[in-house]
Amino acid sequence: VKIKPVVEEENIKIFNAFNFVVLLFKKLFSFVFNKKTFNLVMSFLMIVSLAYVTIEKIDPEPAFAAGEFDCVDSNGRTYIFQSTWSGNTLTINRGVNNDSGNFVTNSSFQTFSSWSSTSNSNISEVNSLAITTDGEMFALLKENDNDVRFYKLNYNGSAEHISSISFPDGDNNAASNYEVDVSGTTYKYYIASKGFFNGNVRVIRIDGDGSYHMFEPNITGGSNGSNKAKDFAWVSNHPSGNDFVGYDSNGNDLLGAEITSHTGHGSNSEAMTINLSVLNGNIGSGIGSNSGAAMSLGNGDVYFLENSTGDLWLYDQSAGSLTETNDDFANSSNTDGAGCGIGLQGNDEFSPDIDL
């Protein structure tokens, strides 16, 4: 039996295969480290790196809130809400300035007619509407004996009594949302009072775990409060120190409220001081009736409703102006308003900032 030649043949095949691999590797190595090829590869990597950094530096389009109610439409435009009260039913109307600059309303967008923890015959009104940037909507129900109950209004038309909050008796008819970021944590609030911080003022912290905490703020400049300014709104992203504004049509007064002190965020010892002032004592003289609804649009803009006509007046804090628009909601003597305070208004478009 001749075994040796066979073994030698197999060894030669293995050796040839090894040589082929070595030769292939040498050619590949030579190609990669060829000067022109190397420069081409490095240039490509630099372009990719620059593009990646540029994309990372572009501020993303705002991540708008998603909650019980939508705060913005599919184009990121701000929804605002009006409530009217009649016959034990709270009706929510919704409006938005669309891409064409037209104000589009959805009347009777939602209705609430069943109220837990009380009988319909015992209800005087539901008012003090407000909505957070998460789309959680709240209101106060006032009974005939002036008892006040705090309710969460759900998107499906159910009204949930928040029994953990014992709101003091009173004649509250105004409210707004408010939020503040402290060390990376966002705290959200519902603030209600009689008129423009003119009594029975309470702040309710809305915690993310579904719990609530209520406290009474300290009010300074109280003589500038008004029960004729029937609602107020959070001036989110405000360019000055005024956190809230309201309008008293009896005196043509634009009223401002600034949170001058806020401590103990998220704790049982939370405290807040709010200072009241008259921002302009001669503005909006064309408003012929009380303004019972104020709606935050964000970026220093607020809509005020003229009750008798349903006309909407736009307050622009950066310009210090209050002007009538062509936008309308329902006219009502028993109305309130709310806005999340985020989103785009009018013909505004999202324009990302690039910072290299």
Side-chain angles (χ1 to χ4, degrees), residues 88-120:
N88 291 326
T89 296
L90 186 74
T91 299
I92 303 295
N93 304 318
R94 188 179 73 177
V96 64
N97 282 296
N98 64 17
D99 278 350
S100 300
N102 299 317
F103 188 70
V104 180
T105 59
N106 187 340
S107 300
S108 300
F109 172 70
Q110 187 55 276
T111 58
F112 298 86
S113 56
S114 179
W115 306 92
S116 60
S117 304
T118 190
S119 63
N120 283 5

Side-chain angles (χ1 to χ4, degrees), residues 147-200:
D147 284 351
V148 178
R149 298 175 183 265
F150 182 51
Y151 278 81
K152 182 176 184 293
L153 306 179
N154 297 312
Y155 183 84
N156 61 6
S158 64
E160 175 187 356
H161 176 219
I162 308 299
S163 58
S164 61
I165 295 297
S166 297
F167 209 95
D169 295 358
D171 190 21
N172 291 66
N173 56 6
S176 176
N177 66 317
Y178 172 71
E179 68 178 49
V180 63
D181 185 86
V182 179
S183 301
T185 299
T186 301
Y187 297 93
K188 301 176 185 293
Y189 303 88
Y190 171 93
I191 303 178
S193 66
K194 177 183 179 180
F196 188 79
F197 298 93
N198 200 45
N200 215 34

Side-chain angles (χ1 to χ4, degrees), residues 319-337:
S321 60
L322 180 63
T323 55
E324 187 174 9
T325 70
N326 293 321
D327 307 335
D328 296 274
F329 259 140
N331 63 304
S332 173
S333 60
N334 200 337
T335 185
D336 204 10

Side-chain angles (χ1 to χ4, degrees), residues 7-42:
V7 173
E8 288 179 350
E9 185 177 349
E10 290 299 321
N11 287 340
I12 291 173
K13 290 181 178 179
I14 294 174
F15 182 75
N16 288 339
F18 179 76
N19 279 342
F20 175 77
V21 171
V22 171
L23 181 61
L24 181 63
F25 180 78
K26 287 175 66 177
K27 289 184 176 181
L28 181 62
F29 184 85
S30 175
F31 173 77
V32 171
F33 287 93
N34 175 275
K35 186 176 182 180
K36 291 183 178 180
T37 305
F38 179 78
N39 289 339
L40 180 62
V41 171
M42 292 303 296

Side-chain angles (χ1 to χ4, degrees), residues 61 73 75-78 97-101 297-299 301 314 343-351:
E61 187 163 350
D73 69 6
N75 294 312
R77 305 207 174 279
T78 305
N97 282 296
N98 64 17
D99 278 350
S100 300
L297 293 163
N299 300 316
D301 294 338
L314 178 65
L344 302 174
Q345 304 94 49
N347 290 317
D348 292 344
E349 295 290 344
F350 168 71
S351 299

